[in-house]
Amino acid sequence: MRLTLRARLALWAALATGVAVLLVAAGLYWSVNGFLRQAQEQRVGSVLGAVQGRVEALLRPRPDDDLLGPLLGPQPVSISQSDLERIADDVDRRGVELRVIAPQGGRLIAVGTPNFPSGVPADLTPGLRDSGTHLILVRPLRPQVALQVAVDARSLREAREAFIRALTALVPLALLLSLLVGWVVAGRLLRPVRALEGAAHAIGEGGDLRRPLPGAGEGDELARLALTLQQSFARLADARDREQGFLRAAAHDLRSPLAALTARVEGTLARDRDAERYRADLREIGTDITRLSTLANHLLLLARDPAAVQRTPVPLRDLAADAVDRARELDPLADVDLDGAEAVTVPGDRVLLGQAIWNLTTNAVRHAPGATVLVQVRAEPGGAAVTVQDDGPGVDAAALARLGEAFYRPDASRTADASGGGGHGLGLALARHVAGLHGGTLDIASAPGAGFRVTLHLPG
């Protein structure tokens, strides 16, 4: 079962707290243990300094021993348990035990206080060691004679055990507390997320993509996330509106030629006609079919996947020359010229670029009848440009602002369509779309009575 985000946040908070507690506890244990150990070692050293002189005084030979020593050899050490008890009592420190290791009768004997810890070897080397219950400090006094000082270290062990018991009790409590706090804090932090989830669900159910999302703004990360989602939904709403408008316009423009085609077919089949009339009717039907084919082709090009756009060297002057020739065939009376002295090549899709240039050229020929149309191809910094310009009547600012939208046509253009002149309002839209697919732009300039100029800029 996958845990909720709130549960995961609470568990991570508990884990982080547990790790922090363990690290702090380890540091405290190391520090406190070291401090106590150092204090015990200092205590042993101070005890040794207090008793060593007195023990050495008891072991100091008598004057006659100094005279006979060379003759008699090493003399046995004479020190009693009561002497050591008296010295330990004079130190006035609890838990201090003494023992002297000395030769006696050819072997080592140990004389110590009654409570000196058992099990401590007599032949310990000089230095400090821990027996578990006592700290033992061994100091040599003379050859084969050593003083052993034992200080009770059970307080150090008890401190360690108490610390471990406290840690064993506190760590689970800290984990439980951090888990509870993490659960509450995560719930408060995720409250905007739940509100955002509810709003998104309501938008999905109602379809109102422009509905404001709660908490959207420039505040924290969640506010910026809500703002980003709100802006994304708004863009989706705009795209949906454009798509619906596109589909309505496409259905309207498809319905007109289909209705005309159906009427012509039904009228042709309604009664017998001579061969010439049948040919005329078929030519009209062919014109309607051509318009439908052109419209379908433009729709397919507009819907083309950007990933499918080819990137091969495309000679723009050849495409422009082909468009000019086709425009002259379309209207033998049209005054269409080409201005392209040098060959200009750009990377792109030959089919799309050819269709775009053809649309710009035929748009000028169709909507500026009798005007002079000039198609220019030129290189420019960073790429190339194709400009189609006519000296026709131009368009006003209101129409200019909407040119390039799919299926938009000024009133004059729609009047031409009604008379069979052509156009579905897709020519400039397709050219703009092709420019965008190639990383370029489409610039349109016009004014009433000042002609019409459109320039396709393409990167090199």
Side-chain angles (χ1 to χ4, degrees):
M1 182 181 65
R2 185 176 178 84
L3 296 176
T4 63
L5 180 59
R6 184 179 184 181
R8 293 201 299 270
L9 287 175
L11 287 177
W12 277 111
L15 178 61
T17 303
V19 172
V21 169
L22 290 177
L23 290 177
V24 172
L28 288 175
Y29 179 82
W30 180 80
S31 300
V32 172
N33 183 66
F35 175 78
L36 294 176
R37 175 66 182 240
Q38 184 179 9
Q40 291 285 2
E41 292 177 355
Q42 290 176 352
R43 183 186 181 198
V44 174
S46 64
V47 169
L48 177 64
V51 304
Q52 181 177 350
R54 300 186 61 179
V55 173
E56 287 179 339
L58 294 175
L59 296 177
R60 188 172 296 122
R62 298 185 299 274
D64 55 348
D65 292 337
D66 292 336
L67 296 176
L68 300 177
L71 300 175
L72 301 176
Q75 298 298 310
V77 175
S78 177
I79 191 171
S80 66
Q81 177 177 331
S82 60
D83 294 333
L84 294 179
E85 289 181 0
R86 185 173 60 257
I87 293 174
D89 292 338
D90 292 343
V91 174
D92 195 20
R93 297 194 180 187
R94 299 176 56 188
V96 176
E97 306 294 338
L98 303 176
R99 188 169 73 169
V100 175
I101 308 299
Q104 183 74 37
R107 61 187 181 88
L108 292 177
I109 63 172
V111 179
T113 55
N115 294 325
F116 193 89
S118 61
V120 178
D123 56 350
L124 287 177
T125 58
L128 181 66
R129 56 188 44 80
D130 190 352
S131 68
T133 59
H134 291 77
L135 288 179
I136 311 296
L137 180 59
V138 180
R139 176 66 59 85
L141 300 180
R142 64 168 62 175
Q144 296 184 333
V145 179
L147 171 63
Q148 295 179 346
V149 178
V151 175
D152 192 354
R154 283 175 292 185
S155 59
L156 178 61
R157 184 183 63 185
E158 292 172 356
R160 292 174 183 169
E161 294 175 351
F163 188 86
I164 292 175
R165 287 195 301 270
L167 186 63
T168 303
L170 288 177
V171 168
L173 183 61
L175 289 176
L176 183 61
L177 181 62
S178 62
L179 186 63
L180 179 61
V181 173
W183 179 265
V184 175
V185 172
R188 294 182 63 88
L189 290 176
L190 293 176
R191 188 177 301 166
V193 177
R194 290 194 295 270
L196 189 60
E197 178 187 2
H201 181 74
I203 289 175
E205 292 290 333
D208 182 12
L209 295 177
R210 291 188 173 86
R211 176 179 177 179
L213 293 179
E218 297 293 342
D220 56 10
E221 291 81 355
L222 289 177
R224 292 195 295 272
L225 173 62
L227 180 61
T228 301
L229 290 176
Q230 181 175 292
Q231 293 171 347
S232 300
F233 287 161
R235 287 192 292 270
L236 287 176
D238 294 339
R240 183 183 62 184
D241 293 343
R242 288 194 301 270
E243 180 181 356
Q244 291 176 350
F246 181 88
L247 291 175
R248 284 194 296 266
H252 177 272
D253 280 56
L254 282 171
R255 183 173 56 191
S256 296
L258 282 174
L261 179 61
T262 302
R264 287 192 177 98
V265 171
E266 291 177 350
T268 301
L269 297 177
R271 59 181 182 274
D272 293 336
R273 301 171 182 241
D274 55 25
E276 185 60 29
R277 184 58 183 272
Y278 276 124
R279 280 193 292 270
D281 290 342
L282 288 176
R283 280 193 295 269
E284 293 178 356
I285 292 173
T287 301
D288 292 336
I289 293 176
T290 300
R291 293 183 65 195
L292 285 172
S293 177
T294 302
L295 177 59
N297 184 52
H298 283 183
L299 291 174
L300 289 175
L301 289 176
L302 283 173
R304 189 163 183 173
D305 185 3
V309 176
Q310 299 180 4
R311 289 289 187 270
T312 58
V314 178
L316 293 181
R317 188 178 63 177
D318 295 348
L319 297 183
D322 181 64
V324 169
D325 291 340
R326 292 171 60 192
R328 290 170 179 170
E329 294 175 0
L330 180 67
D331 185 0
L333 300 179
D335 184 6
V336 187
D337 294 318
L338 174 64
D339 180 10
E342 58 179 338
V344 180
T345 302
V346 296
D349 191 301
R350 186 184 183 98
V351 175
L352 289 179
L353 291 177
Q355 187 67 42
I357 296 174
W358 160 247
N359 285 352
L360 299 180
T361 305
T362 189
N363 182 76
V365 172
R366 178 179 295 115
H367 298 299
T372 298
V373 179
L374 179 62
V375 181
Q376 293 177 312
V377 180
R378 68 181 186 278
E380 60 182 15
V386 179
T387 300
V388 179
Q389 183 173 1
D390 64 67
D391 56 0
V395 296
D396 57 25
L400 185 65
R402 296 194 59 189
L403 287 178
E405 296 180 10
F407 295 104
Y408 173 74
R409 291 168 295 183
D411 294 339
S413 175
R414 292 191 178 275
T415 303
D417 288 347
S419 61
H424 299 280
L426 289 175
L428 291 178
L430 177 61
R432 189 183 297 278
H433 184 65
V434 170
L437 290 178
H438 289 79
T441 59
L442 187 73
D443 296 334
I444 303 174
S446 182
F452 189 88
R453 183 179 71 254
V454 57
T455 303
L456 175 63
H457 296 280
L458 298 170

